[in-house]
Amino acid sequence: MLKTPVIHPTIMEVLARSGHFAQVVIADGNLPVGAMNGPNSTTVHLNFKPGLLDALTVLEGILEVCPIQGAIVMEKPPEANAEIHLAYKELLGDVSWSEMERWAFYDQIRDKTTTLIIQTGEQRRFANLILTVGVVKMAEESSF
Protein backbone atom coordinates (compact mmCIF):
# COMPACT_ATOMS: atom_id res chain seq x y z
CA MET A 1 0.00 0.00 0.00
CA LEU A 2 1.32 3.44 -0.92
CA LYS A 3 1.67 6.16 1.68
CA THR A 4 1.78 9.00 -0.82
CA PRO A 5 -1.31 11.13 -1.43
CA VAL A 6 -1.04 10.47 -5.18
CA ILE A 7 -1.95 6.90 -6.02
CA HIS A 8 -2.74 7.06 -9.75
CA PRO A 9 -0.61 4.20 -11.13
CA THR A 10 0.30 5.77 -14.48
CA ILE A 11 1.16 9.14 -12.98
CA MET A 12 3.35 7.52 -10.33
CA GLU A 13 5.09 5.29 -12.89
CA VAL A 14 5.88 8.15 -15.26
CA LEU A 15 7.04 10.46 -12.45
CA ALA A 16 9.30 7.68 -11.17
CA ARG A 17 11.08 7.51 -14.53
CA SER A 18 11.17 11.29 -15.06
CA GLY A 19 14.57 12.69 -14.26
CA HIS A 20 16.02 16.15 -13.73
CA PHE A 21 14.77 18.60 -16.38
CA ALA A 22 11.88 16.37 -17.48
CA GLN A 23 8.69 18.28 -18.18
CA VAL A 24 5.30 17.53 -16.67
CA VAL A 25 2.30 19.30 -18.19
CA ILE A 26 -0.88 20.04 -16.30
CA ALA A 27 -3.41 20.70 -19.06
CA ASP A 28 -6.79 22.33 -18.79
CA GLY A 29 -9.90 20.67 -20.19
CA ASN A 30 -9.61 22.49 -23.52
CA LEU A 31 -6.05 21.66 -24.55
CA PRO A 32 -6.09 19.27 -27.54
CA VAL A 33 -3.73 16.82 -25.84
CA GLY A 34 -3.94 14.34 -28.69
CA ALA A 35 -2.13 16.86 -30.87
CA MET A 36 0.41 17.69 -28.13
CA ASN A 37 2.02 14.30 -27.60
CA GLY A 38 5.78 14.33 -27.96
CA PRO A 39 8.01 11.33 -28.61
CA ASN A 40 8.44 10.52 -24.89
CA SER A 41 5.16 11.69 -23.37
CA THR A 42 2.41 9.72 -21.71
CA THR A 43 -1.04 11.28 -21.45
CA VAL A 44 -3.33 10.71 -18.47
CA HIS A 45 -6.94 11.87 -18.70
CA LEU A 46 -8.35 13.05 -15.38
CA ASN A 47 -11.10 15.16 -16.97
CA PHE A 48 -14.15 13.17 -15.88
CA LYS A 49 -16.39 16.20 -16.33
CA PRO A 50 -15.86 19.98 -16.48
CA GLY A 51 -14.29 21.13 -13.23
CA LEU A 52 -13.19 17.66 -12.08
CA LEU A 53 -10.31 17.37 -11.35
CA ASP A 54 -9.11 20.97 -11.39
CA ALA A 55 -5.53 22.01 -12.18
CA LEU A 56 -4.73 23.32 -8.69
CA THR A 57 -5.65 19.99 -7.06
CA VAL A 58 -3.41 18.15 -9.52
CA LEU A 59 -0.56 20.61 -8.94
CA GLU A 60 -0.85 20.16 -5.17
CA GLY A 61 -0.56 16.40 -5.63
CA ILE A 62 2.44 16.64 -7.95
CA LEU A 63 4.22 18.92 -5.47
CA GLU A 64 3.79 16.30 -2.74
CA VAL A 65 5.51 13.67 -4.88
CA CYS A 66 8.06 15.43 -7.09
CA PRO A 67 10.54 18.32 -6.75
CA ILE A 68 9.80 21.15 -9.19
CA GLN A 69 12.35 23.77 -10.18
CA GLY A 70 10.56 25.71 -12.91
CA ALA A 71 7.19 26.59 -14.39
CA ILE A 72 6.01 27.99 -17.71
CA VAL A 73 2.58 29.34 -18.56
CA MET A 74 1.16 30.67 -21.80
CA GLU A 75 1.15 34.45 -22.24
CA LYS A 76 -2.35 35.78 -22.04
CA PRO A 77 -3.77 38.66 -24.06
CA PRO A 78 -3.77 41.93 -22.09
CA GLU A 79 -7.56 41.90 -21.76
CA ALA A 80 -7.77 38.30 -20.52
CA ASN A 81 -8.01 37.13 -16.93
CA ALA A 82 -5.47 34.57 -15.75
CA GLU A 83 -5.91 34.65 -11.97
CA ILE A 84 -4.95 30.99 -11.90
CA HIS A 85 -1.36 32.09 -12.62
CA LEU A 86 -1.30 33.83 -9.24
CA ALA A 87 -2.56 30.67 -7.55
CA TYR A 88 0.14 28.65 -9.32
CA LYS A 89 2.84 31.05 -8.15
CA GLU A 90 1.59 30.84 -4.59
CA LEU A 91 1.65 27.03 -4.59
CA LEU A 92 4.98 26.76 -6.39
CA GLY A 93 6.85 29.21 -4.19
CA ASP A 94 10.48 29.77 -5.11
CA VAL A 95 10.77 28.25 -8.59
CA SER A 96 11.79 29.88 -11.85
CA TRP A 97 8.74 31.27 -13.63
CA SER A 98 8.25 32.29 -17.24
CA GLU A 99 5.58 33.01 -19.79
CA MET A 100 5.74 31.85 -23.38
CA GLU A 101 3.99 32.87 -26.59
CA ARG A 102 1.09 30.55 -27.47
CA TRP A 103 2.58 28.61 -30.39
CA ALA A 104 6.00 28.35 -28.76
CA PHE A 105 4.25 27.06 -25.63
CA TYR A 106 2.56 24.32 -27.66
CA ASP A 107 5.90 23.41 -29.25
CA GLN A 108 7.44 23.22 -25.76
CA ILE A 109 4.79 20.71 -24.71
CA ARG A 110 5.72 18.54 -27.73
CA ASP A 111 9.41 18.64 -26.75
CA LYS A 112 11.22 15.34 -26.21
CA THR A 113 11.73 16.24 -22.53
CA THR A 114 7.98 16.08 -21.83
CA THR A 115 7.30 12.81 -20.07
CA LEU A 116 3.79 13.36 -18.70
CA ILE A 117 0.70 15.29 -19.79
CA ILE A 118 -2.14 15.28 -17.26
CA GLN A 119 -5.40 16.55 -18.71
CA THR A 120 -7.67 17.95 -16.02
CA GLY A 121 -11.23 19.17 -16.06
CA GLU A 122 -9.99 22.72 -15.40
CA GLN A 123 -12.21 25.29 -17.12
CA ARG A 124 -10.35 28.52 -16.35
CA ARG A 125 -8.61 29.96 -19.38
CA PHE A 126 -4.81 30.02 -19.61
CA ALA A 127 -4.54 27.25 -17.01
CA ASN A 128 -2.05 25.09 -18.91
CA LEU A 129 1.18 24.72 -16.98
CA ILE A 130 4.53 23.17 -17.88
CA LEU A 131 6.58 22.08 -14.87
CA THR A 132 10.28 21.27 -14.91
CA VAL A 133 11.30 18.45 -12.59
CA GLY A 134 14.07 19.34 -10.16
CA VAL A 135 16.33 17.22 -8.02
CA VAL A 136 15.95 15.88 -4.52
CA LYS A 137 18.54 17.78 -2.51
CA MET A 138 20.52 16.21 0.29
CA ALA A 139 20.61 18.12 3.60
CA GLU A 140 24.23 19.18 3.00
CA GLU A 141 23.31 20.50 -0.47
CA SER A 142 20.73 23.03 0.67
CA SER A 143 22.86 25.95 -0.49
CA PHE A 144 22.30 25.27 -4.21
Side-chain angles (χ1 to χ4, degrees), residues 15 22 34 43 56-57 64 74 85 92 95 114 123:
L15 288 176
T43 300
L56 292 172
T57 300
E64 292 188 54
M74 184 188 304
H85 292 183
L92 288 164
V95 303
T114 299
Q123 295 300 293

Side-chain angles (χ1 to χ4, degrees), residues 44-101:
V44 173
H45 298 278
L46 297 180
N47 51 334
F48 179 68
K49 69 178 194 174
L52 292 177
L53 287 165
D54 67 87
L56 292 172
T57 300
V58 172
L59 177 57
E60 288 170 348
I62 296 298
L63 292 173
E64 292 188 54
V65 175
C66 188
I68 300 299
Q69 71 180 35
I72 306 169
V73 292
M74 184 188 304
E75 288 177 345
K76 66 172 191 63
E79 67 279 1
N81 177 356
E83 289 179 9
I84 194 164
H85 292 183
L86 298 175
Y88 286 155
K89 285 181 180 181
E90 186 176 323
L91 281 173
L92 288 164
D94 188 28
V95 303
S96 69
W97 178 269
S98 63
E99 296 183 1
M100 193 175 275
E101 182 274 329

Side-chain angles (χ1 to χ4, degrees), residues 108-139:
Q108 188 66 40
I109 291 173
R110 293 183 193 99
D111 190 82
K112 65 183 179 183
T113 60
T114 299
T115 56
L116 180 61
I117 300 172
I118 303 170
Q119 184 152 47
T120 69
E122 182 62 62
Q123 295 300 293
R124 288 173 277 195
R125 298 202 53 220
F126 303 100
N128 298 305
L129 176 66
I130 301 172
L131 301 169
T132 302
V133 174
V135 296
V136 176
K137 295 179 182 175
M138 306 291 264

Side-chain angles (χ1 to χ4, degrees), residues 16-36:
R17 62 181 163 82
S18 296
H20 190 209
F21 297 120
Q23 292 185 156
V24 173
V25 177
I26 298 176
D28 64 28
N30 297 308
L31 186 73
V33 295
M36 297 289 146

